[in-house]
Amino acid sequence: MKKIVKFLGTFLCAFALFSFAAFLALRVLPYPELAEFRKRDYSLALTDKNGVTLRVFPARDGVRREWTDIQDVPQSVRNVFIRAEDKRFYYHIGVDPVAVVAGAARNASAGRVVSGASTITMQLARLIKPHARGFGGKMAEAVDALRLEARLSKDAILELWLNAIPFGSNIEGIGAFSRARFGVAATELDAARAAALAVVPRRPGLYDPVYNAEASLAAAKQLAARCGVDDGAVAAAVAEAAAPADALAAGAQTGAKNPFYAPHFAERTRALLSSRAEPLDAAHGVHARRPVKTTLDLDLQLYAEERLGAELAKLSLNRVSNGSVLAIENSTGAVLCYVGSASWFDDAVSGKIDGVRTRNQPGSCLKPFLYALALDSGFGPNAILPDIPSVFGAGEAYIPANFNRRFNGPARMRVALASSLNVPAVWMLERIGVSRFEDNLVSLGFVSIAEKRGAYGTGLALGNAEVSLEELARAFSAFQREGKLVDLRFIEEDTGGDRSANGAQAMSPYAAFVIRDILSDKASRWMGFGAAPMFSTPFQAMFKTGTANQYQNIWALGATRRWTVGVWMGNFSGATVVGKTGSSIPARIAADILGALEMAAPDSAAPESAALNSVTLSGAGEMVDVEICALSGMRATRLCAGTLREWLLRDRTPDFCDWHRADAFDYPGEFETWLAERLRAGQARRGHGAIRLPRHGSVFYLDPSLPADAQAIRIETSGFGDGALVFVDGAPAGSLDSAGVFMLPVSRGKRAVFVEDDENGAHVEFEVR
């Protein structure tokens, strides 16, 4: 007996040592396949700022595979899957001896293999390292299952398996299949839905509700009976899963099984993540296990899409077939709304093109940046700019006109910008310098300008360059940030990427303040826009609009203290717009989106008040509120008929008005012709005689469609007395009229014109071809 006890003791010790050694070997020996399996790519799921799924991109291998942490899978769902595949999962070591014996008996009875006795752990082992069929493959699978059990907890094994189950249709894992069949994440499943899904891996072609609802229901009911799940609930779940997935075109509707919101934004965010050398963090790789929360506000996105679509529907006959909207948060650069086109799915109008980044001529939308540069160059908002017929340039002469086809004489900078007058803008650009303005735009983030620096003339003031909506909106937000730029942000908790430009001072705080004050000044925009009801908002807001290419591109920029919105409308084909449209249309959209933002989060901050006597802006010196003459822009006197108040830097306050005198009303001499032709009150100060038009070196072309005797060149002067003589190529040609103008009949060739009176003389040379 003692020998038997001794033998048993020795055997048990040896078995224990062998088992321990085997356990150590299973746990410690390399298992590279498991390491690679755990590094697998997963689908990139993007959500909006509130966690609503926008889009789920397949993994790099094209498989839809979404990760779900085991603790987020409801216990009832886990129980159903365990009951379906391995009811003793928590009680075996990877291989279930009871199942092996039972399976062998069933196979022998049937005379063929009807049960493989695979456990969940063995199934996972086969997914990690596929084996050949047959007894040898089964044994290798069993060994790998033991290796898994030696290394991982039961919950870790179950988690890996649930996220790797092949469901067919290029879908793996409970998370991706739950979304594909029910339009929800695995976290939102219940036992009935789980029963409809858990039977599919056995034979996806037979039991997937989409392909065979009847067989699926029968199998799911059998499983439900073993799990104590109500038959009626299971039938409803199978019917729901069998319902056709919404087409992608309808995927932007609430409840769609395949969410497809904000496609241009989603594509751009995926590209942004893919371009990074380093992932955001362990939870946000290029194809992350967990959803990546973006900055987008889906409610705002859907509202913007609806507003854009409604306005475009009214313009279908005008060939305005597309549009884009961008809304950002000024303080952070967070992109809240990103509408790239009217419809991603409308290939007839190139809907997949991203209009937020497409470059088009912006019209007058560059003017605020020009005048901000002027303010930082010594000009004030009270500066008088000439809005009179003018020619800019030389050989390639440029003759701008205002939108309303009128010339308004002396215009204060405030009025010139608020009413978007063209001639004063070009006049200002000539004095600032085109190259300097190009440099300024580049510093504001206009990469499009940098690429063609030096190719623009004075037409840049009126938007002859091509820029993107993104560039405009980002730069426009600087007016609400005391002149500082902000990088656009697409990821809610983004700490990666290049943020070096954040806070870069693109203009002085004073210039930013004055420009936003001008562009929110209803009275000053009256000359150009009248009552402009689209700009009348119940909250403080600034607006700038623009049109270009015969209304082919219409723009609007709007901003409040917290938000900036940009809207572009036109077409991607370059087709000529039919009829007139106008920038008031995108302006309405911008105002409505700002209104939606303000309504969702009312601003408790007090608005800027013109009642302040003085205010100090960081880095800008002291700014004072000065009473000025409405006509001359100089400090008002008791003789000035109309006065108003203007924000000026203390060291730039003007002299007292010398236009209004007790016995006369004097304009500067450059307004002489404008006064005479429009029969305005007052007189122009007589200065040195000069020929204003044409510019020296200009080249004119005869219009072949008109008789030569029906064409003439306007010689416009200032500073000459009445009846001053005009000589052409040395021969007398006539005299100036009372407005200082002479209409010269044209003929081809080079011409030299000389004008003189008793005190002055001036000449100009040009060519007619």
Side-chain angles (χ1 to χ4, degrees):
M1 187 68 181
K2 289 183 178 179
K3 289 183 178 180
I4 295 174
V5 171
K6 184 177 180 181
F7 173 77
L8 289 174
T10 303
F11 176 78
L12 290 174
C13 287
F15 181 76
L17 287 172
F18 174 78
S19 299
F20 181 70
F23 173 81
L24 284 179
L26 291 170
R27 183 179 180 86
V28 174
L29 289 178
Y31 194 176
E33 295 85 0
L34 174 60
E36 285 301 311
F37 187 80
R38 300 180 82 170
K39 293 178 183 177
R40 286 197 312 168
D41 227 16
Y42 284 82
S43 296
L44 173 63
L46 300 177
T47 74
D48 85 333
K49 60 186 293 188
N50 299 311
V52 180
T53 302
L54 301 174
R55 179 96 173 267
V56 181
F57 291 95
R60 287 194 187 97
D61 57 8
V63 176
R64 293 190 175 275
R65 185 189 299 122
E66 296 181 47
W67 179 267
T68 307
D69 289 336
I70 190 64
Q71 65 266 23
D72 295 331
V73 179
Q75 186 63 53
S76 62
V77 174
R78 292 186 239 172
N79 293 342
V80 169
F81 273 84
I82 291 172
R83 182 66 181 177
E85 295 294 331
D86 186 2
K87 62 183 178 181
R88 284 179 293 275
F89 171 68
Y90 283 106
Y91 305 104
H92 60 66
I93 59 171
V95 177
D96 184 356
V98 175
V100 171
V101 172
R106 285 194 294 271
N107 293 339
S109 175
R112 59 188 177 87
V113 177
V114 294
S115 175
S118 289
T119 63
I120 286 175
T121 314
M122 292 173 70
Q123 292 180 37
L124 177 61
R126 185 165 62 247
L127 293 171
I128 293 173
K129 185 180 178 181
H131 295 285
R133 292 181 178 274
F135 180 76
K138 207 68 174 176
M139 291 302 296
E141 186 179 299
V143 172
D144 283 344
L146 295 174
R147 296 169 77 187
L148 286 172
E149 294 277 351
R151 294 165 185 263
L152 305 175
S153 68
K154 284 290 186 180
D155 279 352
I157 291 170
L158 183 62
E159 182 178 60
L160 278 174
W161 176 71
L162 285 172
N163 283 289
I165 304 172
F167 285 94
S169 302
N170 223 26
I171 299 172
E172 293 180 3
I174 187 176
F177 200 59
S178 171
R179 189 181 304 283
R181 295 298 175 261
F182 296 113
V184 300
T187 57
E188 299 177 54
L189 289 175
D190 56 21
R193 282 174 163 176
L197 300 184
V199 298
V200 175
R202 300 176 188 174
R203 289 183 64 183
L206 178 62
Y207 295 127
D208 189 334
V210 167
Y211 303 125
N212 194 331
E214 185 177 350
S216 174
L217 178 59
K221 280 186 174 181
Q222 289 181 7
L223 176 59
R226 304 203 310 267
C227 299
V229 180
D230 179 67
D231 273 5
V234 172
V238 171
E240 180 185 3
D246 296 315
L248 287 181
Q253 297 176 2
T254 303
K257 289 184 179 180
N258 299 310
F260 202 81
Y261 299 108
H264 298 89
F265 174 85
E267 291 285 349
R268 179 159 183 191
T269 303
R270 178 176 69 160
L272 175 67
L273 291 171
S274 298
S275 68
R276 289 181 170 167
E278 297 293 335
L280 292 172
D281 54 45
H284 295 90
V286 173
H287 284 258
R289 285 190 169 188
R290 296 174 180 82
V292 176
K293 183 178 285 190
T294 71
T295 59
L296 196 84
D297 183 330
L298 183 56
D299 289 337
L300 185 69
Q301 175 79 13
L302 295 177
Y303 176 68
E305 291 175 359
E306 177 186 343
R307 283 293 295 112
L308 178 63
E311 294 294 346
L312 286 172
K314 303 174 186 176
L315 299 173
S316 59
L317 298 179
N318 299 88
R319 295 182 186 162
V320 177
S321 57
N322 238 313
S324 302
V325 182
L326 179 66
I328 64 176
E329 183 179 43
N330 295 331
S331 61
T332 65
V335 175
L336 304 175
C337 162
Y338 191 114
V339 182
S341 70
S343 172
W344 172 274
F345 304 97
D346 192 346
D347 291 332
V349 295
S350 305
K352 290 181 177 60
I353 293 177
D354 186 353
V356 172
R357 294 198 281 180
T358 300
R359 296 174 182 177
N360 293 291
Q361 290 192 355
S364 295
C365 290
L366 294 182
K367 289 176 183 174
F369 310 112
L370 171 63
Y371 285 114
L373 180 59
L375 289 166
D376 284 334
S377 301
F379 289 89
N382 60 320
I384 296 299
L385 314 181
D387 185 18
I388 54 180
S390 303
V391 175
F392 300 96
E396 296 184 5
Y398 182 48
I399 309 175
N402 291 319
F403 185 77
N404 59 12
R405 301 296 177 184
R406 294 199 303 265
F407 296 97
N408 303 284
R412 283 176 289 112
M413 182 194 291
R414 172 176 289 272
V415 174
L417 174 56
S419 291
S420 200
L421 303 179
N422 288 339
V423 178
V426 180
W427 182 92
M428 180 61 76
L429 180 56
E430 268 212 337
R431 277 138 191 85
I432 294 294
V434 174
S435 62
R436 188 175 171 209
F437 186 40
E438 288 176 339
D439 292 342
N440 178 253
L441 290 174
V442 171
S443 72
L444 283 162
F446 286 89
V447 177
S448 52
I449 301 295
E451 293 174 357
K452 294 186 177 181
R453 198 193 312 245
Y456 307 105
T458 50
L460 186 59
L462 308 185
N464 69 351
E466 292 187 341
V467 301
S468 70
L469 179 62
E470 177 181 331
E471 291 172 324
L472 280 171
R474 176 175 177 255
F476 200 71
S477 70
F479 294 122
Q480 297 288 347
R481 290 172 45 84
E482 291 198 9
K484 294 180 179 179
L485 291 175
V486 64
D487 281 341
L488 297 192
R489 188 163 60 92
F490 293 78
I491 309 301
E492 182 69 18
E493 298 177 358
D494 192 354
T495 57
D498 181 11
R499 313 285 289 178
S500 61
N502 260 18
Q505 196 75 45
M507 65 189 73
S508 70
Y510 170 70
F513 171 83
V514 171
I515 296 299
R516 69 174 179 264
D517 188 55
I518 291 174
L519 294 180
S520 59
D521 183 351
K522 298 177 183 179
S524 293
R525 69 166 69 105
W526 185 273
M527 180 185 293
F529 300 100
M534 64 280 190
F535 298 141
S536 298
T537 58
F539 46 85
Q540 187 77 8
M542 61 183 289
F543 292 96
K544 187 71 192 80
T545 60
T547 61
N549 289 2
Q550 298 299 313
Y551 301 96
Q552 186 172 315
N553 300 297
I554 51 179
W555 306 74
L557 299 166
T560 63
R561 186 180 67 86
R562 295 179 296 167
W563 328 106
T564 294
V565 175
V567 181
W568 165 82
M569 297 174 72
N571 62 64
F572 294 135
S573 66
T576 304
V577 171
V578 177
K580 293 184 178 181
T581 52
S583 55
S584 62
I585 302 169
R588 284 197 298 267
I589 298 174
D592 288 347
I593 293 173
L594 286 172
L597 284 164
E598 291 294 331
M599 185 178 297
D603 191 355
S604 59
E608 292 162 342
S609 173
L612 296 174
N613 289 323
S614 66
V615 61
T616 300
L617 297 176
S618 58
E622 193 173 54
M623 190 170 69
V624 293
D625 185 20
V626 179
E627 184 178 15
I628 63 170
C629 172
L631 185 63
S632 70
M634 304 176 75
R635 189 184 288 270
T637 70
R638 61 182 180 81
L639 299 175
C640 296
T643 65
L644 45 81
R645 308 198 71 83
E646 183 59 271
W647 291 106
L648 302 173
L649 291 176
R650 184 179 294 278
D651 60 358
R652 295 186 192 168
T653 54
D655 294 333
F656 285 104
C657 177
D658 59 3
W659 291 28
H660 293 91
R661 295 185 291 154
D663 57 346
F665 177 23
D666 293 339
Y667 284 85
E670 61 187 320
F671 298 105
E672 179 180 353
T673 300
W674 175 81
L675 277 172
E677 290 188 334
R678 287 155 183 77
L679 303 177
R680 298 273 181 165
Q683 62 186 19
R685 297 170 189 160
R686 183 63 56 81
H688 294 292
I691 298 175
R692 292 192 61 253
L693 299 175
R695 297 285 289 270
H696 190 79
S698 295
V699 177
F700 296 89
Y701 293 87
L702 281 170
D703 186 343
S705 66
L706 296 174
D709 58 5
Q711 303 179 58
I713 295 174
R714 178 186 174 93
I715 309 297
E716 184 176 313
T717 69
S718 64
F720 287 102
D722 294 340
L725 298 177
V726 178
F727 297 85
V728 178
D729 296 333
S735 61
L736 300 177
D737 62 16
S738 59
V741 173
F742 177 78
M743 301 304 295
L744 174 66
V746 295
S747 59
R748 287 186 174 88
K750 294 183 177 181
R751 297 287 177 266
V753 174
F754 185 78
V755 180
E756 68 173 356
D757 61 9
D758 293 338
E759 299 178 359
N760 299 286
H763 85 284
V764 64
E765 295 180 6
F766 54 88
E767 182 178 359
V768 179
R769 296 178 181 175

